Each structure stands twice: as structure tokens, then as C-alpha cells.
């Protein structure tokens, strides 16, 4: 028995795809995907090759091992998901807010401490959050990042407030969230989504704001 059914299910979960949406990518039916995930059938080799190529995953990995979140996000073997691995000694555990989490949350509060964790080498002292740029998160019209890129944000602290002006950030409180651009006027700091919506940084709500630190985009 291969791992193809388990990996298809995890691919769907990480990428936020329903069985129907996944099936349509490869000219299959929802019933086909259900049967693969329940180990009642396995896809033809031609379909396996299509899946591997589409998601940029080696065929052998797709068939023989249980894929990690890092592999599905194409962080590959450099960034291990296993917290017991020697490979993570110099890496940071980072929570990931992606499309799958947002789709499952609906109108419910997003709990950052319950997000999936992966490991990535970021030398930064403040708390970090990774966010997948996707259509479920509102962003300014001139937002300069490709959809599906992973954006790394550091939580606002007093010592970085002076660096915010004109930098991109992320705001999240309960089920309200958006990407925006910081504007600093004296001691007033606002994160603007557009001309009609902004969030103002206050001492009480500083923990809801994050400043963009880095981005990860897969180059094909």
C-alpha cells in the first residue's frame, strides 16, 4: 500500500481544496478522490505524475512517504517539520496561517496558538507569524506580492515602532484580519487597508499588529 491516499488528503488540507476542486485539477471526479483517500483505489500512474508535477513534489515522495507541511509548501528537506530532528537546531518554529485554516475557521475566532507549525531559519528575536497570501485576506490595491507566497511577520514591540512608516503589516483580531501599510504621524500609527478601513495601533491592541519581515516565493 502506498501513501498516495494519505498525501492527497494532506495536499488538499494544506492547499485548502475540496475533493471536488482537487478532482477538477486532474479531470477526475469527487468520487475518485474519495476512493483514493479511503484506500479503496489508487490513481493511475499518469494521474500520479500529473499530481507530482502540479505540486512540485517528487513522485517517490508522493508514493512512499507521508508528506510534511514543509514539503507541500516546497520548503523541501532543508526545513524539517519534525521538532525532534537535528535539522531544526538553528531554526525557528513558526505558526502558519494559510487558506485551509481560514476556510475552516469561517466566522469563528482564529486561534494563533493552534495553527500548524513548521520550521524555518529566521534570525529574529520577536515572535513571528507566517501568512499565506491568498484571496481570503483583503489587501491594498498596490500590494506587491504574488498570491500563494508566504509572508513572514514579526509581532509589534515598542522597540520597532519607529521603523513602521510605509512598511507593510498584518492585522488580526478574532475573525477580522487584513494586510495593510503602516503610516506614522508623530505618535499616531495606523495600518491602512484602503481609504475607508484602517486599524490604529494602541498599547492595548499592539499584540494584534505585525510588521512584514520577509517573504518566501517559489521560483519556477
Amino acid at each position: 500500500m502506498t501513501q498516495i491516499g494519505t498525501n492527497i488528503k494532506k495536499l488538499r488540507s494544506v492547499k485548502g481544496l475540496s475533493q471536488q476542486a482537487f478532482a477538477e485539477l486532474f479531470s477526475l471526479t469527487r468520487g475518485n478522490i474519495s476512493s483514493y483517500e479511503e484506500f479503496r483505489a489508487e490513481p493511475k500512474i499518469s494521474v500520479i505524475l500529473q499530481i507530482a508535477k502540479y505540486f512540485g513534489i517528487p513522485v517517490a515522495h508522493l508514493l512512499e512517504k507521508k508528506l510534511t507541511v514543509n514539503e507541500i509548501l516546497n520548503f523541501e528537506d532543508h526545513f524539517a517539520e519534525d521538532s525532534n530532528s537535528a535539522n531544526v537546531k538553528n531554526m525557528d518554529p513558526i505558526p502558519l496561517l494559510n487558506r485551509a485554516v481560514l476556510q475552516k475557521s469561517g466566522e469563528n475566532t482564529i486561534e494563533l496558538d493552534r495553527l500548524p507549525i513548521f520550521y524555518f531559519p529566521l534570525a529574529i528575536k520577536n515572535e513571528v507569524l507566517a501568512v499565506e497570501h491568498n484571496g481570503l485576506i483583503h489587501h491594498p490595491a498596490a500590494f506587491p506580492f504574488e498570491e500563494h507566497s508566504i509572508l513572514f511577520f514579526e509581532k509589534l514591540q515598542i522597540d520597532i515602532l519607529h521603523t513602521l512608516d510605509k512598511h507593510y503589516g498584518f492585522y488580526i483580531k478574532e475573525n477580522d484580519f487584513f494586510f495593510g501599510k503602516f503610516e506614522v504621524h508623530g505618535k499616531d500609527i495606523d495600518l491602512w487597508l484602503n481609504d475607508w478601513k484602517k486599524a490604529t495601533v494602541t498599547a492595548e491592541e499592539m499584540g494584534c499588529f505585525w510588521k512584514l519581515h520577509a517573504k518566501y516565493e517559489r521560483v519556477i
Side-chain angles (χ1 to χ4, degrees):
M1 181 75 68
T2 71
Q3 297 293 335
I4 187 68
T6 299
N7 287 333
I8 286 175
K9 188 172 184 178
K10 191 159 189 178
L11 279 165
R12 288 200 306 101
S13 175
V14 173
K15 295 295 186 178
L17 297 168
S18 67
Q19 288 184 335
Q20 182 64 41
F22 191 96
E24 290 175 356
L25 291 174
F26 307 105
S27 301
L28 300 169
T29 67
R30 190 201 64 77
N32 290 143
I33 305 305
S34 176
S35 66
Y36 302 155
E37 293 182 359
E38 295 172 8
F39 303 104
R40 292 183 282 108
E42 291 194 350
K44 297 178 180 178
I45 187 62
S46 59
V47 173
I48 293 172
L49 292 173
Q50 290 179 52
I51 294 172
K53 182 177 180 180
Y54 185 87
F55 291 106
I57 296 169
V59 174
H61 290 193
L62 194 61
L63 290 172
E64 299 171 3
K65 62 183 293 187
K66 293 182 179 180
L67 295 174
T68 66
V69 174
N70 284 20
E71 289 172 308
I72 291 172
L73 293 174
N74 298 119
F75 291 143
E76 302 180 344
D77 296 334
H78 299 290
F79 314 126
E81 192 178 49
D82 179 3
S83 60
N84 295 317
S85 170
N87 291 333
V88 303
K89 285 183 178 179
N90 298 315
M91 299 190 189
D92 305 296
I94 301 174
L96 172 65
L97 179 60
N98 61 5
R99 177 185 290 272
V101 172
L102 294 174
Q103 288 178 324
K104 290 179 181 177
S105 66
E107 297 299 319
N108 299 320
T109 298
I110 295 172
E111 299 180 52
L112 299 185
D113 59 353
R114 300 187 67 180
L115 294 178
I117 300 293
F118 69 99
Y119 290 81
F120 200 89
L122 282 177
I124 182 171
K125 65 179 181 178
N126 295 333
E127 186 177 348
V128 177
L129 173 67
V131 184
E132 178 195 6
H133 175 26
N134 62 78
L136 298 177
I137 303 178
H138 295 299
H139 57 81
F143 202 54
F145 305 104
E146 295 290 333
E147 190 158 341
H148 304 304
S149 58
I150 305 295
L151 305 178
F152 295 91
F153 295 88
E154 61 177 312
K155 181 175 282 189
L156 252 57
Q157 304 288 341
I158 294 293
D159 60 348
I160 65 169
L161 293 183
H162 67 287
T163 69
L164 295 180
D165 194 38
K166 307 306 180 185
H167 280 80
Y168 286 101
F170 182 62
Y171 172 81
I172 180 166
K173 182 180 181 182
E174 298 177 346
N175 63 347
D176 184 22
F177 46 85
F178 62 87
F179 297 123
K181 180 177 279 190
F182 285 107
E183 288 191 4
V184 179
H185 299 283
K187 293 185 178 181
D188 297 325
I189 304 174
D190 297 313
L191 182 66
W192 288 86
L193 168 63
N194 52 42
D195 291 340
W196 302 277
K197 183 169 183 176
K198 69 176 182 178
T200 299
V201 177
T202 64
E204 295 77 15
E205 289 203 337
M206 190 177 298
C208 301
F209 293 85
W210 303 73
K211 177 191 174 184
L212 183 66
H213 175 76
K215 69 174 180 177
Y216 178 95
E217 289 181 348
R218 186 181 177 209
V219 179
I220 300 178

